[in-house]
Amino acid sequence: GKSDYGTIHVNNKESVVSITGGTFANNRAYYGGVLYTAPAKEVRIENVTFENNQASYNGGAVAIYALNCPTTVTLKNVTFRGNQAGNNGGGLCTMDHDNRYRITLTMTDCAFDGNTAGSNAGGALLSYRTDATVSNLAFTNNTAKGSDGGGLYSDAATPIDFTGSVLFDGNTAFRNGGGLYQNRGTMTFTDAQFRNNHADGEGGAIAAQKMTLKNCTLHDNDSAGHGGAVRHFGGQLTVEGGKFYN
């Protein structure tokens, strides 16, 4: 489908959106190639693949905005592959645009592969003013062509714990944080792997402010500037065990 505001457009603060099963491919829109909500009360997506969708602005496949109400988003076993956004969030963009209402995002068993953000941040996912709970995620071969966070750009008010199997592999950022850019909040990674990520600026794998890495493996990451693996901008960085090489 082709549309200005998502192939599926939701704009009612009482709406509950549930998408289960199927593949959404080759859709086009200005916001959210497949789904654009602004607002919705709740969005649930399970066992779905979003492939080769495009948005001219934010959210190559899905764009979720918290307008006039908070929004709860749950993703389970969802794959974002080969999607493109002209601005932010090549696969998925979640945003509290006016800094008034929060988005609460839960992701389990999700994969982001080969997505691209054109002129700005979050090659796979831009999670802006979004509080998140995450487990078993893979960010592979995503690109932020214009700014930070080749795989993930995160801005959160509450701590985020990355649990289970977490992988950042082969992501690239034009500026900082080839795998991950943390703008605000606190993150903890346990047994995560960061490999083969690149930043044209700083922090080949990670650019962050407040972060804890527990038994994580970082190898073959590189940057053109400071921090081939990690660039720490302030706050607290804690490293407990793990392996850093190449």
Side-chain angles (χ1 to χ4, degrees):
K2 296 180 180 179
S3 172
D4 286 341
Y5 297 103
T7 299
I8 302 171
H9 180 204
V10 178
N11 65 341
N12 189 304
K13 65 182 182 180
E14 299 300 326
S15 294
V16 176
V17 180
S18 180
I19 302 174
T20 304
T23 298
F24 294 83
N26 303 312
N27 298 284
R28 307 285 185 270
Y30 188 76
Y31 289 98
V34 175
L35 173 65
Y36 173 57
T37 69
K41 180 179 180 181
E42 184 176 357
V43 178
R44 298 190 298 260
I45 304 174
E46 185 172 357
N47 300 327
V48 172
T49 297
F50 296 100
E51 188 167 11
N52 297 329
N53 302 287
Q54 293 185 17
S56 300
Y57 198 58
N58 290 337
V62 177
I64 297 173
Y65 281 62
L67 294 177
N68 303 318
C69 72
T71 302
T72 300
V73 183
T74 303
L75 305 180
K76 184 176 182 181
N77 192 29
V78 179
T79 298
F80 295 84
R81 182 184 301 115
N83 303 287
Q84 299 181 42
N87 194 38
N88 293 306
L92 169 65
C93 177
T94 63
M95 181 176 292
D96 170 16
H97 191 269
D98 296 324
N99 199 25
R100 295 178 60 196
Y101 301 97
R102 304 302 299 179
I103 292 179
T104 302
L105 171 64
T106 301
M107 293 190 294
T108 306
D109 300 325
C110 294
F112 295 81
D113 179 63
N115 303 284
T116 303
S119 62
N120 218 323
L125 166 61
L126 181 129
S127 177
Y128 187 69
R129 294 172 181 160
T130 297
D131 301 324
T133 302
V134 293
S135 178
N136 298 335
L137 295 181
F139 293 88
T140 56
N141 306 311
N142 303 287
T143 304
K145 287 187 174 181
S147 189
D148 304 311
L152 168 64
Y153 181 105
S154 176
D155 182 302
T158 60
I160 302 175
D161 290 333
F162 288 77
T163 61
S165 175
V166 176
L167 172 66
F168 288 79
D169 185 1
N171 304 288
T172 301
F174 176 74
R175 290 182 60 194
N176 304 317
L180 159 70
Y181 184 91
Q182 178 204 30
N183 185 58
R184 185 176 59 157
T186 301
M187 287 183 170
T188 300
F189 288 89
T190 303
D191 299 322
Q193 294 190 52
F194 295 83
R195 63 194 188 211
N196 305 313
N197 301 288
H198 171 78
D200 288 344
E202 302 180 355
I206 298 168
Q209 297 190 37
K210 296 181 180 180
M211 180 170 291
T212 298
L213 301 172
K214 298 181 179 180
N215 299 317
C216 294
T217 301
L218 293 85
H219 68 88
D220 295 291
N221 303 287
D222 69 276
S223 70
H226 300 293
V230 178
R231 177 68 163 98
H232 182 232
F233 293 112
Q236 182 173 337
L237 174 65
T238 302
V239 178
E240 300 177 4
K243 298 178 181 179
F244 290 67
Y245 59 95
N246 294 344

